[in-house]
Amino acid sequence: MKNTGFQLERHSANPILGPHSMPGADAVFNCGQTMYKGKTILLVAVVLRNDPLPRMHVAESADGVNFTIRPEPFITRSELPHIRPLDQWPIDPRVTYFAEEDVYYIMRPGNSDVGCVAFLGKTKDWQHYEDIEVISLPSNRVPCLFPEKVNGKYIRLDRPFSLVYDPHNHSQMSGIWLSESPDLIHWGRHRVVLKPWTTWNYTKIGPTPPIKTEQGWLEIIHGVSQSCSGQRYCIGAILLDLNDPSKVIGNSQGYLMCPTAGYEFMGRVPNVVFPCGAIADYDQDRLRIYYGAADTCIGLATGRLSEIVDLCLRNGK
Ligand code: BMA
């Protein structure tokens, strides 16, 4: 395997959000991320000390570092009768701005006692949220939407819990799949994109909403491995073909970041850096990743967009 010394750079103000940012919070963590009217918007998962159900709040920032969390939740357990029974642990939102429709789609896992499904919702203005549909059977986690149609179809990535037995290392693993839809509700033509391939991710990998670049769709992923002290979550990247995004054309091979900071080790779930998306500042050739750390707080990590794409292309499939 090709080695890489590349590492994302942690912001000196990390953790930029956490339980300290909101009265009564036990955790402010994994967040969807996007730009709205020049501001950075994070849709953060919040666990309160005295409420058994997480909720999602909007956090806004003019400089991308100092955030204000709105006190009222933006997404709570759905009221819709076809969604509510499946919506027992609302976390991990993945936000996609769909320019053609000027709408922000939010995909999230619906955790429930009959399994984990995928939900679709949307907002136009970050004031009103609308749940739309249940868009997968269980077990399916980590659903996320492409920011534009490809060959006339909506495209999504996700991770079905297809616990495939790997005869080579006697383990089970789950990988990334792609599907397409004419209307965002009905999904089909499922394709395997990638299965776990190496030490830092051999248990499972999961996608985030892709970032368009000239060379391909940049996909920031998480990867999970297992040791005698539990699971470790790292961050990596792959590059997908622009016209056939089921085809992997680049791979960072090594991780871009693994837990090394104190706030990534110490918390509710130690040893976790977890991305739900990334923001490309094309004019500055910069990628910003707001990642959940130890399921407790949020860190900001950055890297040069072109360097990450080059790394994927250089290190290959
Ligand atoms: C995953 C998700 C994430 C979480 C991670 C580590 O399965 O549930 O929300 O950050 O586990 O606990």
Side-chain angles (χ1 to χ4, degrees):
M1 190 185 92
K2 285 155 201 148
N3 199 1
T4 163
F6 179 88
Q7 290 285 293
L8 292 168
E9 194 177 326
R10 289 171 178 78
H11 197 279
S12 56
N14 278 0
I16 56 157
L17 283 167
H20 59 276
S21 316
M22 196 172 160
D26 191 32
V28 175
F29 66 124
N30 303 353
C31 55
Q33 44 213 278
T34 192
M35 297 301 290
Y36 177 64
K37 294 194 171 168
K39 285 190 171 173
T40 304
I41 298 270
L42 303 183
L43 184 56
V44 302
V46 173
V47 176
L48 295 178
R49 288 179 214 163
N50 61 356
D51 190 332
L53 260 194
R55 71 266 287 286
M56 295 170 214
H57 288 246
V58 172
E60 320 172 66
S61 168
D63 65 4
V65 177
N66 297 288
F67 283 86
T68 307
I69 304 180
R70 292 191 202 151
E72 287 305 313
F74 189 68
I75 301 180
T76 52
R77 190 178 175 193
S78 179
E79 297 294 340
L80 296 181
H82 61 287
I83 295 185
R84 188 170 176 80
L86 303 171
D87 197 6
Q88 296 173 17
W89 189 254
I91 50 158
D92 294 0
R94 289 178 170 80
V95 174
T96 300
Y97 176 60
F98 208 87
E100 190 186 324
E101 299 169 20
D102 191 23
V103 68
Y104 294 83
Y105 286 112
I106 298 166
M107 287 190 172
R108 60 188 181 98
N111 299 281
S112 82
D113 52 5
V114 292
C116 186
V117 296
F119 292 150
L120 175 69
K122 69 176 179 186
T123 182
K124 263 191 157 321
D125 54 10
W126 290 101
Q127 296 296 332
H128 307 95
Y129 170 72
E130 191 188 322
D131 279 313
I132 302 177
E133 249 316 332
V134 182
I135 53 166
S136 81
L137 288 167
S139 277
N140 190 303
R141 250 185 126 80
V142 208
C144 46
L145 184 69
F146 278 63
E148 58 186 67
K149 291 180 185 169
V150 179
N151 301 318
K153 296 284 175 13
Y154 294 99
I155 306 286
R156 86 165 193 237
L157 298 171
D158 55 26
R159 185 185 67 221
F161 273 172
S162 53
L163 285 174
V164 177
Y165 180 67
D166 178 358
H168 302 298
N169 63 14
H170 302 290
S171 68
Q172 292 193 315
M173 54 190 188
S174 317
I176 296 175
W177 287 63
L178 175 143
S179 51
E180 63 175 50
S181 168
D183 58 5
L184 285 169
I185 308 295
H186 305 90
W187 293 87
R189 290 172 62 92
H190 305 280
R191 301 285 183 267
V192 183
V193 176
L194 188 65
K195 60 178 198 173
W197 73 91
T198 190
T199 44
W200 61 271
N201 63 38
Y202 69 83
T203 305
K204 52 188 176 180
I205 51 177
T208 58
I211 305 272
K212 195 172 193 182
T213 73
E214 277 174 17
Q215 292 87 343
W217 295 103
L218 179 64
E219 242 309 293
I220 298 300
I221 63 170
H222 72 260
V224 184
S225 57
Q226 199 96 28
S227 75
C228 53
S229 57
Q231 292 188 323
R232 181 171 79 151
Y233 281 69
C234 298
I235 297 175
I238 56 174
L239 199 67
L240 306 178
D241 186 87
L242 281 178
N243 298 316
D244 177 5
S246 68
K247 231 166 80 188
V248 179
I249 57 167
N251 188 327
S252 63
Q253 300 290 355
Y255 52 71
L256 304 182
M257 184 175 181
C258 74
T260 54
Y263 53 89
E264 296 160 359
F265 284 129
M266 281 172 287
R268 295 161 66 244
V269 183
N271 233 357
V272 175
V273 290
F274 192 86
C276 287
I279 296 176
D281 299 314
Y282 293 103
D283 53 338
Q284 295 171 60
D285 188 20
R286 183 177 66 172
L287 191 72
R288 280 183 275 154
I289 303 178
Y290 296 91
Y291 63 96
D295 285 13
T296 302
C297 53
I298 292 174
L300 166 59
T302 57
R304 274 180 52 216
L305 183 58
S306 57
E307 198 176 344
I308 299 170
V309 169
D310 285 351
L311 182 79
C312 290
L313 286 171
R314 206 170 49 243
N315 286 350
K317 295 181 192 176

